[in-house]
């Protein structure tokens, strides 16, 4: 089961085996931007107000991590990457924060061997971010990674607020009800504790998927009771949630 707290290793492994699209979607010709728009519109229908959107592109590459990070950063308008260290690996990192209607962009290139790297490009938005900018950047990253011969996959996480007086279980039911009229949702995996309820689903019409055991999952919904704010925080992940909820 995909528990609330995913370790970095589990997330990395999960994303490596992400299926680019489901069988039902494979015959279509939508662009990556059109797929992203579909998922964001699905998220908008699930919650009262979207607060945060995170798109993660990642994949393995051959060559210099430093050169790849510098190339991506320059093409995306970021500062020159800075060398750091994470879990014993050299990492070249550059970032601009989301501000106003401008999306945030993060480039991480991790050295994985003498001639290899693992690259992550993360796009971040909030309720003020222009959807058109996110879609443009999303398609730009797709093309840049393809030009670098990086076989990359992407996932989306969206967070927002729900009602303030519902239990997490009730809030999850309300969220499911909002989406069930639009999607063919089939619950596959469940997780519940005192403050959190989460369900992963098979949704064949959605464009991203991941293999989890014998199931193919396309969407995960989690509701967490935020005692500090006195509200429920709703997180949707496509195909699964890869951020803290």
């Amino acid at each position: 089961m995909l528990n609330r707290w995913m370790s970095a290793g589990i997330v990395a492994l999960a994303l490596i085996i992400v299926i680019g699209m489901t069988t039902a979607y494979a015959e279509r010709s939508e662009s990556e931007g059109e797929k992203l728009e579909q998922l964001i519109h699905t998220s908008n229908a699930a919650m009262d107000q979207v607060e945060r959107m995170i798109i993660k592109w990642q994949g393995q590459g051959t060559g210099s991590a430093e050169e790849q990070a510098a190339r991506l950063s320059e093409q995306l308008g970021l500062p020159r990457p800075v060398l750091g260290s994470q879990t014993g690996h050299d990492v070249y990192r550059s970032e601009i924060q989301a501000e106003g209607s401008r999306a945030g962009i993060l480039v991480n290139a991790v050295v994985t061997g003498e001639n290899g790297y693992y690259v992550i490009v993360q796009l971040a938005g909030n309720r003020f971010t222009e959807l058109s900018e996110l879609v443009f950047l999303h398609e730009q990253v797709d093309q840049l990674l393809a030009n670098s011969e990086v076989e990359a996959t992407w996932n989306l996480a969206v967070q927002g607020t729900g009602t303030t007086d519902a239990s997490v279980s009730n809030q999850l039911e309300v969220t499911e009800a909002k989406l069930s009229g639009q999607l063919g949702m089939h619950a596959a995996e469940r997780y519940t504790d005192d403050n959190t309820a989460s369900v992963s689903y098979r949704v064949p019409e959605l464009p991203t998927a991941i293999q989890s055991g014998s199931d193919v999952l396309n969407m995960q919904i989690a509701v967490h009771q935020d005692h500090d704010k006195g509200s429920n925080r709703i997180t949707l992940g496509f195909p699964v949630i890869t951020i803290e909820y």
Side-chain angles (χ1 to χ4, degrees), residues 50-239:
V50 171
E51 300 286 353
R52 183 184 182 206
M53 291 176 285
I54 301 291
I55 305 160
K56 291 182 183 179
W57 279 93
Q58 45 197 347
Q60 298 275 2
T62 301
S64 167
E66 181 179 10
E67 292 177 3
Q68 176 65 295
R71 182 166 50 249
L72 288 172
S73 297
E74 180 181 5
Q75 292 167 326
L76 293 170
L78 275 65
R80 185 169 183 81
V82 175
L83 175 62
S85 179
Q86 292 180 0
T87 62
H89 293 276
D90 286 341
V91 179
Y92 294 90
R93 177 187 178 94
S94 182
E95 182 177 16
I96 56 172
Q97 298 286 337
E99 183 178 349
S101 62
R102 187 188 71 185
I105 308 173
L106 166 68
V107 170
N108 255 14
V110 183
V111 178
T112 58
E114 291 185 3
N115 193 41
Y117 59 84
Y118 192 81
V119 65
I120 300 171
V121 181
Q122 179 173 294
L123 308 176
N126 53 43
R127 57 187 170 130
F128 303 111
T129 307
E130 293 289 343
L131 176 59
S132 58
E133 182 187 5
L134 271 180
V135 171
F136 172 78
L137 287 171
H138 183 62
E139 293 190 320
Q140 184 181 9
V141 172
D142 176 36
Q143 189 60 55
L144 291 175
L145 292 175
N147 291 345
S148 299
E149 298 183 346
V150 175
E151 294 187 6
T153 59
W154 61 274
N155 66 93
L156 169 69
V158 181
Q159 284 187 328
T161 55
T163 54
T164 58
D165 57 352
S167 68
V168 292
S169 296
N170 288 342
Q171 182 70 71
L172 181 59
E173 290 177 3
V174 170
T175 306
E176 287 177 314
K178 289 180 178 180
L179 293 175
S180 60
Q182 305 178 29
L183 303 172
M185 299 163 54
H186 309 280
E189 300 180 358
R190 294 182 179 271
Y191 170 81
T192 306
D193 63 23
D194 292 340
N195 300 313
T196 303
S198 171
V199 185
S200 298
Y201 306 86
R202 298 184 298 275
V203 191
E205 61 264 46
L206 292 181
T208 57
I210 188 171
Q211 189 76 41
S212 177
S214 59
D215 285 313
V216 173
L217 305 179
N218 310 93
M219 179 177 70
Q220 182 183 2
I221 301 174
V223 179
H224 178 69
Q225 192 173 57
D226 189 330
H227 294 291
D228 293 335
K229 294 183 178 180
S231 62
N232 290 322
R233 183 169 62 249
I234 303 171
T235 307
L236 269 69
F238 304 94

Side-chain angles (χ1 to χ4, degrees), residues 16-32:
I16 289 171
I17 61 171
V18 166
I19 304 168
M21 60 185 68
T22 64
T23 302
Y25 223 86
E27 297 177 358
R28 308 182 194 179
S29 58
E30 278 81 353
S31 69
E32 298 304 313

